[in-house]
Amino acid sequence: MNIVDLRSDTVTQPTPEMRIAMAAAPVGDDVYGEDPTVNRLQEMAAARLGKEAGLFVPSGTMGNLVAVLAHCNRGDEVIMGTLAHTFLFEGGGISALGGVFPHTIPNQPDGTLSLEAIQSAIRPDDAHHPISRLVILENTQNRCGGVILSAEYTRQVGDLAHRKNLLLHIDGARIFNAAVGLGVDVKELVEPAESVTFCLSKGLCAPVGSVLVGSRDFIHKAHRIRKQLGGGMRQAGIIAAAGIYALENMIERLGEDHRRAKLLAKGLTGVEGLKVEIENPPSNMVFVQVSDEIKLPTAQIANKMAELGVKIGVTGSKRFRMVTHFWIEDEGIEHTVAAFKQVLADAV
Ligand SMILES: *Cc1c(COP(=O)(O)O)cnc(C)c1O
């Protein structure tokens, strides 16, 4: 049985061409700064995002953590959404390891943080308060449905932060999905930010890795922190080569994943017992809710879908997430819609 794995775009395996590039990569000891492939990836990433320098890190979680530790001192505060990945899914690392305080404000349904809410979250200069140091935006915003923050909105947040002497970090795990979805140059989306992380290991199909970009001084500091965290890798060119291949070949095609997400949302809109949260999803994610008349527990629906060869993500009671990616074809989308119909027809 061909498995349709829609749990996440992290399940993507490297393509055959990517494996060839990995095998052929010249390597060296990157802790000595001597891996030419890592150096090339870092330069390419920085150039692509319009920043001075880049740092290859093992994961997006480490990229965000390194960024926060480089920007903040102990006791400082970071403003982010209640649905931010850094708040929900990074093990509380910024607090556990950096003594940095998250100040969360609600994500609106479109993924944004309202400018008013950001403004009122920023603390006055008073010894009673922590020092507000950083704002984190997430683009695409995962938990809000893979929604895309515009360049204009990001600019407004950057202006507000900078006016108040705060910095802006963008958790751009899927920033290329955002750029392709909007049809804009990724540089425009991240221009106001001091730092950005993006993932190579999601829709871009590399097996491992993220890149953190920012100014030369910032990356110099971040490099030291990566070492402290145990993220200095040796002949990492083997995996960086997949990242280079991804930047060169896997970005423009993300539009296909977006097209298939729309196809999936459209197909599922016709399934009784399901409510599609965003009928015309902007990137590669489809979130659905199970209506109350379906008595079958959420986990069991997922199990029955898996028996039919479709893996889906359970993201709450009566809520599923499906993510399209390189290894999902149109037939997989059709099969998923058919499987949902079959499972839910038996479940009323
Ligand atoms: C996946 C993801 C990350 C980083 O995840 P890793 O698994 O550590 O690479 C960060 N932010 C967002 C929004 C993500 O979706």
Side-chain angles (χ1 to χ4, degrees):
M1 182 165 56
N2 246 344
I3 302 292
V4 182
D5 194 343
L6 292 162
R7 288 171 300 166
S8 177
D9 44 9
T10 57
V11 302
T12 47
Q13 302 204 357
T15 63
E17 297 77 14
M18 205 174 244
R19 287 178 187 263
I20 291 169
M22 294 170 75
V27 296
D29 190 329
D30 182 52
V31 173
Y32 295 155
E34 289 176 3
D35 189 304
T37 308
V38 171
N39 291 339
R40 183 156 164 247
L41 170 65
Q42 291 174 164
E43 282 160 24
M44 279 176 68
R48 184 106 188 195
L49 275 79
K51 304 295 179 196
E52 288 175 2
L55 186 69
F56 187 43
V57 288
S59 68
T61 298
M62 189 184 286
N64 288 332
L65 176 60
V66 166
V68 171
L69 297 187
H71 288 311
C72 301
N73 298 311
R74 297 185 72 80
D76 286 354
E77 198 169 66
V78 181
I79 296 166
M80 68 183 96
T82 46
L83 298 177
H85 192 278
T86 301
F87 180 59
L88 293 176
F89 301 123
E90 295 175 12
I94 63 168
S95 302
L97 302 170
V100 177
F101 214 46
H103 185 162
T104 56
I105 56 181
N107 286 95
Q108 301 180 100
D110 67 357
T112 61
L113 309 174
S114 87
L115 295 173
E116 296 70 33
I118 295 173
Q119 173 115 31
S120 41
I122 297 173
R123 312 280 190 168
D125 180 11
D126 176 321
H128 290 86
H129 298 296
I131 294 171
S132 304
R133 186 75 67 188
L134 180 69
V135 177
I136 299 181
L137 291 179
E138 185 175 312
N139 199 8
T140 63
Q141 215 299 340
N142 186 337
R143 271 312 184 259
C144 291
V147 292
I148 303 176
L149 309 183
S150 70
E152 171 58 23
Y153 168 74
T154 306
R155 156 74 47 212
Q156 289 170 354
V157 173
D159 286 349
L160 169 60
H162 298 150
R163 230 178 16 253
K164 300 280 190 175
N165 283 323
L166 275 72
L167 304 165
L168 176 62
H169 172 72
I170 295 179
D171 175 0
R174 296 184 183 81
I175 195 71
F176 291 112
N177 291 88
V180 168
L182 291 174
V184 302
D185 188 331
V186 68
K187 289 189 191 81
E188 287 178 45
L189 291 180
V190 302
E191 203 280 327
E194 275 69 32
S195 57
V196 187
T197 35
F198 70 87
C199 285
L200 295 163
S201 60
K202 291 182 171 164
L204 303 186
C205 285
V208 183
S210 284
V211 185
L212 172 64
V213 298
S215 71
R216 226 173 284 287
D217 284 350
F218 167 78
I219 291 297
H220 182 74
K221 195 169 179 192
H223 180 258
R224 176 179 287 273
I225 295 167
R226 185 189 67 176
K227 184 70 185 150
Q228 289 178 330
L229 295 173
M233 299 181 284
R234 302 292 177 173
Q235 285 72 30
I238 294 277
I239 48 176
I244 291 172
Y245 185 91
L247 287 181
E248 287 178 337
N249 298 287
M250 303 302 279
I251 292 175
E252 278 69 33
R253 64 151 305 283
L254 290 172
E256 286 178 43
D257 300 340
H258 299 181
R259 179 181 65 75
R260 291 198 177 96
K262 291 183 206 317
L263 202 63
L264 178 60
K266 195 161 171 234
L268 295 178
T269 300
V271 177
E272 209 158 335
L274 285 187
K275 185 185 175 318
V276 177
E277 289 183 8
I278 301 178
E279 287 187 15
N280 192 27
S283 67
N284 66 335
M285 294 184 186
V286 178
F287 282 81
V288 296
Q289 290 170 23
V290 183
S291 41
D292 286 336
E293 68 262 25
I294 304 290
K295 298 302 171 212
L296 198 62
T298 310
Q300 278 192 41
I301 295 174
N303 288 343
K304 284 185 183 288
M305 290 291 289
E307 282 165 21
L308 297 175
V310 181
K311 295 187 181 178
I312 58 178
V314 176
T315 54
S317 95
K318 296 193 169 278
R319 191 177 190 228
F320 298 114
R321 184 185 75 163
M322 283 153 277
V323 187
T324 55
H325 53 75
F326 182 84
W327 297 99
I328 302 293
E329 307 275 339
D330 287 356
E331 299 85 78
I333 300 296
E334 288 156 24
H335 181 61
T336 302
V337 174
F340 260 118
K341 280 184 182 156
Q342 186 179 333
V343 169
L344 293 177
D346 299 339
V348 192

